[in-house]
Every structure is written in structure tokens, then in C-alpha cells.
Amino acid sequence: MPPTATPGTLLAPPAVTPPPRTPVVVRPPVPLHTTRHGPSRELTAAVPASLVLALGLWGITRQNSMWRDEAATWQVAHRDLHEIWHLLGHADIVHGLYYALMHILFEVFGDSLLTLRIPSVIAMAVAASLAADLGARLADRWSGLGAGLAFALLPTLQTYAQEGRPYAMVTATVTLASWLLVAALHRPRARIWSAYALVVLLGALLNWFSLLALLAHAAALALARPHRAIWARWFIAVSTAIIGATPLILASRDQAGQVSWIQPSTPMTMYAVAATVVAAGGCAFLRRARTPAQPAPAAAGTPSLAAVAVPLCALPQVVLLTVSLTWQPLYVDRYVLFAQVGLALLLGVLISTLATSPLIGRPGVLLAAVTALAFVALLPMERQVRSAHSRVDDVLAAATLVTAAHDRGAGAMVFIPSARRDTAMVTPGAFPGLRDIALAQSPADSGTLHGIETAPRTTARAMLREPHIILISDAQPRPAHNARDLAKQRVLHEHFVPRSITIQRGRSITLYERIDRPHSDEPADRS
């Protein structure tokens, strides 16, 4: 029976049960770099490393050539550890750890151009893998893969991937330190900060100019605005590394004359640095322009890719160049080779932006195509860095020329400057029967790179006893700046005449013949 309403009251509507609702789950904003599918983390790291290994092994012997810096590594690595320690008290203390490592490798695997250069190839492969993973952490995996591929193809990095010097290892340590810094900001654990301090110290012991990367790390932290506790941990880690490297830094000041060969920075050098910095800034700007207007906010203290890459690319180069312009010429591009890692990270983001465009359905295919096109475009430069003419000189070619001159009757040789004695140190078998008439004490016995020569008068008298002399010098010899070399030049000019001059790959071999009677009975100088 329907209900009846009394006067003055309203009839209540029947109760209606609402339908069940699906619960709404509120999710946090998804970061931009997780919205795009990409390769696995393993593939992101492995592909660039494999490409670096392939490019590094391609032409690694460089047409059986070796330039003067590699010759220093070669002859020092053949000394025992006691002789290496003796050398470090006089020269190349900044390379002591590297020389010891190469000595061990020569002992284990034998001396060859492959053994000389393969450590650099492996170091660059590790750096490429780390750069790719770092790009993936800071942006996305396509950006990381692009960064690793850009790293592999940069001509400057390819050059030093095939160099028997420590700069590839320094690049790897700086890249690893940058990776650990970002890891520590994500998960600030004591063991990560400890590893960071050890890697920074290792890089400094290989070449303490790597400490310039700390300026870039400080800038990245400043841009990330982390908690004060993060700053404190970073400062402790950095201080520990610097304290550990301080004895090396102070000792190297006594050998500052070894960098006196560095010329003042030219406008071309300044242009090259400026172009690199502008390119890095341009990549960062394009990345920001292509980013959605309201990206998901990053966690507090987490740096962006640009915050890590731009300072790493710019600050070490700019600071070293500024020091060179205002105090003492020190800028050499290989001393801050690790700055190229920052450029590779930014190029990776640019490549990723193009590859993941909505107009492209298969970014992996496009990325492979871009890599192949870049390789073809850079092929002339890649072939050049693997040729014997890519370096300033070739010690091995000079040894071959000396052998030919010796066959024409010469029995004595002199070097101007004495640093050109590296030809004889690297290939002693090419000098049978030839006497180094100016040498008083060998490089290993004297704890030097080039040995100790006799007094100028003693050298001159020894030269005057010879009917023929082979002079080993630079293709474009510079004026002599010491009494010993001046004495050699004077004797050759006044008493000898050149019979043959051969110039090849930065070295000159001149066969001199005596124009008057040799003074074979002249007594030696006993002073």
C-alpha cells in the first residue's frame, strides 16, 4: 500500500542505491624519459663499447709507425720498476703510474704496437659504455645510446683510442667519476662516495689535470641544488682525492720545464674551444626547446643531463685555456680530452630527439642510419688518424733510414736535439755497429728519458775523429739552445759536408762526410 502524506509534510523520495564506482588511483607524474620505449640497459651500453672496440682495432698499428710520445712510453716500459722509479725523480713523474702499468703489460704480453695501444682502446670502450649509461640515467635510453655512438665516432676520441699514452685511461676515469656522482645523488650511500673518491684519485695519478673535471662536478651540483648533506659528502670525497694527489702535484712542479715546449694558445685554438662550447650549448638549448612546456618535476637534488654535460664540456677547456692566456702556456687538447664526454652526451640527446620524432616509427632503424651516415661522412678523417702521417713524426721510419745510411759507410751518429735519441732507444737493433759518440750515460742508468751527453768540447773532439757521421734530427730543425747542440752544429758546419739528406715522417737523416783529415791522434778531453 503506497504511503500517504499528512498535511504539511513532504513525501521523501525512495532511496536509490548508487552503482559501484571503480576506485581512482592517483599516480605520480611519470618522468619524461620513461615515456619512450628504448633498448635495454645492457644493449645501450654494449653497442657503443663494441663500436669503439671495432674502430680501435681498425688500423691499430698505424702502418707500423710510432711517434715520439709513444716512444717515451715504449722505452720506459722496457725498464724495470727500480729504473722507472729512478726516472720519476728527474722526469715524467705525472706519468709514473701509467709507465708502471705498461711495464707490467709488456712483461706479461710482450712488447708490440698492439700491446702498446690496446689498453687505450679498452679504456675508450669502457668510457663509451659509461657515457651511454650516464645518458640513459639522465635522460632516456635512446639518448644514452646516441651519446655512446657519438662518443665512438668523435675523431678526437678515435685518435687517442689508438695512442700509447694515458689520456684514454684518464677519459675513462673521469667518465666513471661522473657516473658515480650521478649514482650518489640518486642513492647517497657511503660506498658510492668512497668509490667516487678513489676514481677521482686514480684519474689524478694518471694525469692530475683530470682534477679540472671537479669544477664541472661542482657546477652540476650547484644546478641540481641538493641537500647540504650531499654537498658535505662530496666535499669530503673530493678533499680525500686531492690530498692523495697532492704529493704528485707538488713533485711535478720541480719538473715544470718538461712543458716548456707548449706554445702560446693561437686564435685557432681559442676558436676550436669556443666552437666546442657553443656546440654543447646549442645541443642543450635544442633539447630544452623540444621538451614539453610542463615536464614532470625532477626529484630534489637530481641533475639534468645538461647540468652534467655542459659544465663537463666547457669548464675544463675554458679554465685551462684561461690559465694559458694569463699565466703560462699549458693548453693542449689531449690534457682535457675528457671534456669530449660532455659533448657526446649532448649530441646523444640531439640524436635521440630526431630519432624519436613522432614522424618516425622505428627510432632504432633511424639511429642506425644516422650512425652509418656519420661514419661515412667522417671516413676521410678516420682514415687520416690511422695513417703514419697523422702524428708529428715517426720514430720507426727514422730507424729504417738510419740503417740505409749506415750501409753507406758511416760508423758514428749524433742527435740534435738529444731527444731524437728515442730512435735508437726504441729500435736498438737498427743500429748495429753505430756508435753514439756524444752519449756519456745511457737513459736508464742516468734516470732520464734521453741520457746524459758528454761536455761540448768532448763531443766536438769525438766528432773530429770520424770520417762519416749520421745526424738524426727533426724534419724542420729548430735553432739549438744549448752548448752541446751548438758544438755539434759548429763541427758539422766547419769540418763536414752533407752527402745525403733524407726526410720522412717528421725526421731527417743526414749523412755527413769529413772534408779534411780526421784528427784520429787527438787526445780525448779528460776534464
Side-chain angles (χ1 to χ4, degrees):
M1 182 175 186
T4 58
T6 60
T9 64
L10 295 177
L11 182 63
V16 179
T17 302
R21 296 182 180 181
T22 302
V24 178
V25 179
V26 180
R27 300 182 183 277
V30 180
L32 177 64
H33 64 271
T34 63
T35 62
R36 291 185 284 179
H37 298 289
S40 65
R41 182 179 181 184
E42 293 76 13
L43 190 64
T44 300
V47 170
S50 300
L51 182 57
V52 170
L53 286 174
L55 293 175
L57 294 174
W58 169 35
I60 192 171
T61 61
R62 216 163 50 238
Q63 300 174 344
N64 197 41
S65 64
M66 180 194 303
W67 78 295
R68 62 183 64 170
D69 279 18
E70 290 182 310
T73 300
W74 181 276
Q75 58 116 338
V76 174
H78 279 86
R79 305 182 189 185
D80 59 40
L81 293 178
H82 174 75
E83 291 173 332
I84 294 175
W85 182 258
H86 187 202
L87 167 71
L88 301 183
H90 301 89
D92 269 7
I93 191 171
V94 294
H95 300 314
L97 178 60
Y98 176 72
Y99 287 153
L101 174 62
M102 293 307 300
H103 166 79
I104 295 172
L105 293 178
F106 275 21
E107 287 287 323
V108 174
F109 299 103
D111 58 346
S112 67
L113 290 176
L114 181 63
T115 307
L116 177 68
R117 294 171 183 154
I118 197 66
S120 294
V121 176
I122 296 174
M124 282 299 192
V126 172
S129 179
L130 290 168
D133 194 66
L134 182 59
R137 277 175 171 265
L138 295 173
D140 59 82
R141 288 181 181 171
W142 286 120
S143 297
L145 182 57
L149 295 174
F151 182 100
L153 293 177
L154 284 173
T156 303
L157 294 175
Q158 288 193 49
T159 298
Y160 292 101
Q162 293 186 331
E163 189 108 317
R165 299 298 281 171
Y167 307 110
M169 295 184 184
V170 173
T171 301
T173 59
V174 171
T175 310
L176 178 56
S178 302
W179 186 92
L180 287 169
L181 176 66
V182 173
L185 292 177
H186 280 87
R187 303 181 70 180
R189 295 182 175 179
R191 59 185 179 88
I192 298 180
W193 286 113
S194 299
Y196 174 79
L198 288 174
V199 171
V200 171
L201 175 59
L202 176 61
L205 295 179
L206 288 169
N207 190 320
W208 61 264
F209 277 2
S210 65
L211 295 176
L212 290 171
L214 296 179
L215 300 175
H217 291 175
L221 285 174
L223 293 171
R225 300 191 302 275
H227 192 272
R228 290 181 180 178
I230 298 295
W231 275 107
R233 293 173 182 175
W234 178 80
F235 182 79
I236 293 172
V238 168
S239 299
T240 302
I242 293 177
I243 291 172
T246 296
L248 173 65
I249 297 172
L250 294 178
S252 65
R253 293 180 60 185
D254 296 332
Q255 300 177 8
Q258 284 198 282
V259 295
S260 60
W261 58 269
I262 301 177
Q263 299 298 311
S265 299
T266 64
M268 183 60 67
T269 300
M270 291 183 277
Y271 171 78
V273 173
T276 304
V277 173
V278 170
C283 291
F285 176 79
L286 290 175
R287 164 69 177 175
R288 186 173 182 179
R290 293 296 296 266
T291 302
Q294 293 181 346
T302 302
S304 66
L305 185 141
V308 173
V310 173
L312 183 58
C313 179
L315 286 180
Q317 296 188 86
V318 171
V319 170
L320 187 58
L321 182 60
T322 301
V323 171
S324 298
L325 294 174
T326 59
W327 179 53
Q328 177 185 351
L330 288 175
Y331 185 87
V332 181
D333 59 353
R334 59 181 177 268
Y335 292 171
V336 285
L337 181 66
F338 53 84
Q340 299 291 315
V341 177
L343 179 61
L345 288 170
L346 293 164
L347 289 174
V349 171
L350 180 61
I351 295 171
S352 170
T353 302
L354 297 175
T356 56
S357 171
L359 301 177
I360 307 298
R362 303 181 67 182
V365 174
L366 180 61
L367 192 60
V370 170
T371 303
L373 289 174
F375 174 79
V376 173
L378 295 171
L379 189 58
M381 298 179 66
E382 292 163 348
R383 292 174 62 90
Q384 168 62 21
V385 300
R386 290 165 174 81
S387 71
H389 301 280
S390 61
R391 270 57 170 187
V392 67
D393 61 2
D394 181 7
V395 175
L396 300 182
T400 303
L401 298 177
V402 169
T403 302
H406 178 43
D407 292 340
R408 300 180 61 178
M413 59 182 176
V414 294
F415 302 88
I416 300 178
S418 63
R420 299 295 79 82
R421 186 171 280 108
D422 54 8
T423 301
M425 297 301 302
V426 170
T427 55
F431 298 81
L434 278 174
R435 292 170 287 109
D436 189 349
I437 57 177
L439 184 64
Q441 193 174 11
S442 71
D445 292 339
S446 62
T448 62
L449 288 172
H450 311 118
I452 296 178
E453 295 190 341
T454 58
R457 291 182 58 191
T458 305
T459 299
R461 292 188 177 189
M463 293 173 67
L464 289 173
R465 300 189 191 101
E466 301 297 330
H468 299 88
I469 290 178
I470 296 176
L471 170 65
I472 302 172
S473 186
D474 294 318
Q476 297 179 343
R478 298 178 181 178
H481 294 292
N482 61 73
R484 290 180 173 87
D485 289 344
L486 288 172
K488 299 172 194 173
Q489 290 180 337
R490 179 181 57 81
V491 171
L492 291 174
H493 177 72
E494 296 177 356
H495 300 277
F496 289 80
V497 60
R499 292 304 186 190
S500 69
I501 302 176
T502 307
I503 298 176
Q504 185 175 352
R505 298 178 187 173
R507 294 286 174 100
S508 68
I509 310 299
T510 306
L511 175 61
Y512 281 90
E513 184 178 355
R514 185 68 181 270
I515 57 177
D516 52 11
R517 183 178 179 181
H519 298 177
S520 58
D521 56 345
E522 187 167 353
D525 185 5
R526 299 183 181 277
S527 59

